[in-house]
Amino acid sequence: TSASTYTLAVTDADNVVITTNATGVTVTVPPSVFVAGDVITVVQNAAGQITFAQGSGVTITSTGATSSAPKLRAQNSAATVICTASNTFTIVGDLA
């Protein structure tokens, strides 16, 4: 996607989302879309740093500096969004 915002969709499960925006991109993890075991890989393929955001009622955990709103570290970084329970996600990867 080349948009500055993107909300993950059910069709993204077990797939790769690639961003190509030159400026920052917010990727929102929405509620009531994914089930435990679903995974989505997100790749920052341009300079626009990706920040993950929690949709309403969603909990994100990560090792990022802001654990509930992690960012990818740099261009060509990637992370995997893992649904661990209903509306609960862990994001792992090359995080800032």
Side-chain angles (χ1 to χ4, degrees):
T1 180
S2 61
S4 61
T5 62
Y6 182 76
T7 299
L8 296 175
V10 70
T11 54
D12 294 323
D14 301 320
N15 281 303
V16 178
V17 173
I18 299 172
T19 66
T20 58
N21 198 323
T23 59
V25 178
T26 299
V27 174
T28 300
V29 181
S32 306
V33 172
F34 302 103
V35 297
D38 283 348
V39 295
I40 304 103
T41 299
V42 180
V43 178
Q44 179 182 318
N45 211 24
Q49 187 177 37
I50 294 173
T51 300
F52 292 94
Q54 302 173 125
S56 178
V58 167
T59 300
I60 290 175
T61 58
S62 75
T63 59
T66 304
S67 66
S68 63
K71 296 180 179 188
L72 289 184
R73 187 181 58 79
Q75 185 170 346
N76 301 315
S77 291
T80 301
V81 180
I82 305 165
C83 183
T84 57
S86 177
N87 295 330
T88 304
F89 299 84
T90 298
I91 299 179
V92 296
D94 191 9
L95 303 173

